[in-house]
């Protein structure tokens, strides 16, 4: 899903889905997931700091965007007054299952505006990605040999 160039052409000259990870964030947070965060289906964050500065000051819908560009619809619910925590639910449990999040894993969150953000970007940290490419030389034979190359990178 991540492309090195913005050409936007695929093998059939049709459009290719392009997702570019934002590289400037106004606010960032690193959270070590607890077993409750993963198993309950609700992510709990402290209100002071990141949430207070970056998120709306009321219960609302949020969109979480993962490192692959997939969007997840979630709900933000603030704790009692004064706000001590905020809880993110909705598709958070689906994120945990799909991305195989476990307790003890560090997740980084970021927002691209200074306040009242309804879109949060997140990724696991440190994230080691593997880019695999299959290469096949052109030959006039019934079988075409393929070679696999891998590139490792940190996000």
């Amino acid at each position: 899903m991540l492309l090195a160039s913005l050409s936007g052409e695929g093998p059939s000259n049709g459009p290719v889905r392009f997702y570019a990870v934002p590289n400037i964030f106004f606010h960032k947070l690193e959270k070590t997931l607890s077993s409750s965060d993963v198993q309950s289906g609700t992510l709990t964050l402290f209100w002071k700091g990141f949430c207070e500065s970056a998120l709306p000051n009321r219960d609302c819908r949020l969109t979480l965007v993962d490192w692959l560009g997939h969007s997840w619809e979630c709900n933000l619910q603030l704790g009692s007054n004064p706000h001590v925590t905020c809880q993110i639910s909705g598709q958070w449990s689906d994120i945990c299952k799909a991305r195989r999040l476990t307790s003890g894993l560090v997740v980084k969150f970021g927002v691209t505006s200074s306040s009242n953000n309804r879109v949060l970007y997140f990724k696991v940290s440190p994230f080691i990605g593997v880019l695999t490419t299959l290469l096949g030389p052109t030959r006039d034979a019934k079988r075409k040999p393929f070679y696999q190359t891998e590139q490792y990178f940190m996000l």
Side-chain angles (χ1 to χ4, degrees):
M1 279 204 227
L2 298 177
L3 301 177
S5 68
L6 298 173
S7 67
E9 290 189 13
S12 64
N13 286 339
V16 173
R17 182 175 173 187
F18 177 74
Y19 174 70
V21 178
N23 54 11
I24 297 176
F25 295 102
F26 277 88
H27 304 286
K28 296 181 247 181
L29 171 73
E30 283 191 16
K31 160 84 170 158
T32 302
L33 297 178
S34 67
S35 58
S36 175
D37 291 329
V38 176
Q39 295 171 0
S40 69
T42 301
L43 172 67
T44 302
L45 302 172
F46 289 110
W47 174 250
K48 290 290 186 187
F50 176 79
C51 293
E52 184 178 32
S53 301
L55 302 178
N57 194 12
R58 63 186 181 290
D59 295 355
C60 65
R61 305 267 303 154
L62 291 179
T63 300
L64 272 66
V65 180
D66 65 19
W67 60 93
L68 296 175
H70 293 106
S71 296
W72 306 85
E73 294 302 319
C74 296
N75 301 312
L76 172 67
Q77 184 176 4
L78 303 180
S80 60
N81 198 7
H83 305 306
V84 177
T85 62
C86 63
Q87 297 181 328
I88 298 175
S89 58
Q91 286 190 314
W92 174 252
S93 60
D94 296 335
I95 293 171
C96 292
K97 289 175 190 168
R99 300 296 174 244
R100 297 180 181 168
L101 302 181
T102 59
S103 64
L105 190 69
V106 177
V107 179
K108 288 185 178 182
F109 296 92
V111 293
T112 56
S113 297
S114 60
S115 63
N116 285 331
N117 289 277
R118 291 179 185 246
V119 177
L120 272 76
Y121 296 89
F122 75 98
K123 65 177 183 147
V124 294
S125 175
F127 181 76
I128 298 176
V130 179
L131 176 64
T132 303
T133 307
L134 296 175
L135 304 171
T138 55
R139 289 192 181 167
D140 292 335
K142 291 184 179 182
R143 293 185 181 192
K144 186 175 186 179
F146 282 92
Y147 303 95
Q148 180 174 333
T149 63
E150 293 182 347
Q151 297 173 341
Y152 298 90
F153 56 92
M154 294 287 289
L155 290 177

